[in-house]
Amino acid sequence: MNMIWRNCVCHLRQGKVPHRCQSGAHPVAPLGSRILTDPAKVFEHNMWDHMQWSEEEEAAARKKVEENSATRVAPEEQVKFESDANKYWDTFYQTHKNKFFKNRNWLLREFPEILPVDQNAKEKVEESSWDQIRSNFSRMQGTEAHCGESCVSSAPGNKGRPNFPNPDLEEHSEGPGKTGRFPGSNATFRILEVGCGAGNSVFPILNTLQNFPGAFLYCCDFAPEAVRLVKSHASYTEARCSAFVHDVCDDGLAYPFPDGVLDAILLVFVLSSIHPGRMQAVVHRLSRLLKPGGMLLFRDHGRYDNAQLRFKKGRCLSENFYVRGDGTRAYFFTKGEVHRMFCEAGLHEKQNLVDHRLQVNRKKQVVMHRVWVQGKFQKPLHWTQRGNE
Ligand SMILES: C[S@@+](CC[C@H](N)C(=O)[O-])C[C@H]1O[C@@H](n2cnc3c(N)ncnc32)[C@H](O)[C@@H]1O
């Protein structure tokens, strides 16, 4: 614990904020700011932000992973975890219903891109914390590396957003119009949540979208029970949302809307449950769904997260990929892997950071290092699937 404290204080003294700094000159994300400066106070809160690992802690984590990865699940047994992946998740939702995951109430704080920047709607919204967060975010956007001030539009309803052509406007009038009507075809801002589960992100988003009449939310999951749970929720309304069963690994499956119409895609703790060999194709396919300027928003398990260290021997499928007792799987990413995967799909990195915290169980008086990777990737104007514009 002393080592953790020393690291934190050392960074504070030097005026550095460890781990929350993004790659290159990108802005720092508005993540939490509870810093542990006095080790005696560690049990005063459930979570501490910006934690640093000491070399010893990192070496111990590496050793633990080497140990729990030494024995792999037999290849013939692995086949069923892949072919029946949706069944394992379906059983998960039949068992836990919507009680397992907590509502992702942090979502709009971390990903304000989920909301349209609509001046008319904004005027109707009371001065709220979201407004504050969004204006802070817009200010930060001004320092972005890929798109300088010259490409930020001042058009009404597009304040602070890059000036990309919108397929709904005249230049792209053959877009959705040509393909006919589809759920959300009249919307001016469309979001897709992939792997929505029981709706722990869907409903906080829908709640906020009430203030944005032009916005529409799609959400999909390959577990039919998850989609049933979302559709049976009291706040589900087809006027603003469309939930559907869909396997993102199945390239041949059509989406209920055309390519190039989404403003934002949310990938929260989903890619980690997909076989690493299939992730790149999934990211490519999803990138096609975005409008130019659209954002892919990612958050998932990070390498050496406590959840990875806790796996027992015999649960490892391949490097950093494990199967839980219920047949669902989890991969643990590094920031570099995330960068490569999304950039290979032709997207531009706007944020890519490791969110490293110390989680405290005050009752048991134990601490755990939690690690998540969070990224924001934007589709450029001239997008090609290989990433070479
Ligand atoms: C860890 S849960 C996260 C659920 C939700 N995103 C959240 O944050 O609460 C992973 C979800 O991804 C879904 N999923 C996994 N692989 C999928 C695939 N190939 N296509 C669609 N959904 C998938 C699972 O059914 C599950 O609901």
Side-chain angles (χ1 to χ4, degrees):
M1 185 52 62
N2 264 344
M3 192 58 83
I4 294 166
W5 179 79
R6 267 208 305 280
N7 273 309
C8 281
V9 171
C10 159
H11 277 85
L12 286 174
R13 276 206 205 106
Q14 292 167 9
K16 288 183 193 167
V17 181
H19 283 287
R20 290 289 159 72
C21 299
Q22 300 164 35
S23 56
H26 295 221
V28 173
L31 292 166
S33 55
R34 183 172 286 150
I35 313 284
L36 179 65
T37 52
D38 178 355
K41 293 187 174 164
V42 68
F43 292 112
E44 285 186 11
H45 291 288
N46 294 333
M47 194 78 90
W48 296 96
D49 297 312
H50 306 304
M51 295 308 296
Q52 277 283 33
W53 296 65
S54 65
E55 277 175 25
E56 294 89 331
E57 284 170 324
E58 185 147 2
R62 205 176 303 119
K63 187 162 176 275
K64 192 107 186 118
V65 166
E66 272 166 24
E67 283 166 10
N68 74 15
S69 312
T71 319
R72 304 278 165 99
V73 176
E76 55 277 17
E77 219 191 312
Q78 290 205 24
V79 173
K80 73 171 189 294
F81 295 124
E82 177 62 21
S83 60
D84 291 349
N86 63 334
K87 293 185 189 139
Y88 288 110
W89 275 108
D90 206 55
T91 305
F92 174 92
Y93 288 111
Q94 283 173 23
T95 309
H96 300 288
K97 306 287 175 204
N98 58 0
K99 304 280 182 276
F100 193 86
F101 300 114
K102 288 189 191 143
N103 268 2
R104 312 288 188 193
N105 290 321
W106 48 265
L107 205 73
L108 288 134
R109 191 176 64 232
E110 293 305 324
F111 296 135
E113 296 83 354
I114 294 170
L115 299 182
V117 182
D118 180 323
Q119 285 310 113
N120 295 333
K122 218 176 157 199
E123 278 159 23
K124 287 184 207 149
V125 182
E126 284 179 5
E127 187 59 32
S128 67
S129 56
W130 290 129
D131 290 335
Q132 191 55 48
I133 288 156
R134 288 179 63 67
S135 75
N136 289 346
F137 181 79
S138 299
R139 238 176 285 133
M140 291 194 306
Q141 290 274 58
T143 63
E144 278 184 350
H146 284 297
C147 181
E149 284 194 4
S150 59
C151 66
V152 174
S153 169
S154 57
N158 200 25
K159 225 176 163 199
R161 278 191 193 265
N163 193 10
F164 290 103
N166 181 335
D168 293 339
L169 302 181
E170 41 303 345
E171 314 89 293
H172 289 264
S173 56
E174 308 164 330
K178 193 171 146 191
T179 48
R181 286 178 61 78
F182 55 91
S185 55
N186 291 332
T188 51
F189 190 90
R190 303 184 193 91
I191 311 156
L192 166 67
E193 196 206 351
V194 175
C196 60
N200 296 84
S201 300
V202 169
F203 296 105
I205 296 173
L206 273 184
N207 191 29
T208 306
L209 287 187
Q210 281 178 13
N211 300 313
F212 299 91
F216 195 87
L217 175 66
Y218 303 96
C219 56
C220 68
D221 202 289
F222 71 171
E225 179 61 10
V227 174
R228 194 195 63 73
L229 286 165
V230 169
K231 285 186 153 181
S232 59
H233 191 284
S235 302
Y236 181 82
T237 160
E238 288 190 352
R240 287 186 299 114
C241 184
S242 169
F244 55 99
V245 177
H246 188 95
D247 182 350
V248 280
C249 292
D250 187 342
D251 248 358
L253 269 186
Y255 284 81
F257 47 81
D259 286 352
V261 300
L262 297 179
D263 292 272
I265 296 178
L266 205 56
L267 265 179
V268 176
F269 297 103
V270 178
L271 224 43
S272 55
S273 49
I274 289 173
H275 190 286
R278 307 187 80 169
M279 289 177 191
Q280 186 67 64
V282 169
V283 175
H284 268 115
R285 178 67 191 99
L286 292 176
S287 303
R288 264 171 49 203
L289 300 175
L290 285 173
K291 287 177 183 173
M295 298 291 286
L296 210 154
L297 308 167
F298 170 87
R299 188 171 169 93
D300 220 318
H301 299 296
R303 187 73 44 86
Y304 301 153
D305 178 34
N306 188 257
Q308 179 175 16
L309 308 190
R310 273 195 354 236
F311 274 105
K312 300 267 181 290
K313 279 183 191 166
R315 309 305 305 175
C316 184
L317 299 163
S318 57
E319 250 176 84
N320 304 299
F321 190 44
Y322 300 81
V323 63
R324 303 183 184 96
D326 61 5
T328 64
R329 300 171 297 176
Y331 186 82
F332 296 84
F333 295 93
T334 65
K335 189 170 135 173
E337 288 169 348
V338 170
H339 170 85
R340 282 189 290 281
M341 191 164 45
F342 289 95
C343 293
E344 174 66 25
L347 304 181
H348 284 174
E349 182 179 295
K350 294 287 162 183
Q351 179 191 77
N352 186 9
L353 54 88
V354 179
D355 178 7
H356 196 159
R357 304 186 194 194
L358 192 71
Q359 193 172 1
V360 177
N361 185 327
R362 292 199 258 178
K363 209 167 158 195
K364 294 185 182 162
Q365 297 272 295
V366 293
V367 297
M368 291 158 281
H369 279 283
R370 301 309 314 266
V371 188
W372 296 282
V373 182
Q374 180 172 303
K376 302 180 183 188
F377 297 86
Q378 187 166 42
K379 184 169 178 174
L381 182 53
H382 301 293
W383 176 76
T384 59
Q385 290 215 28
R386 298 247 167 261
N388 44 347
E389 285 170 68

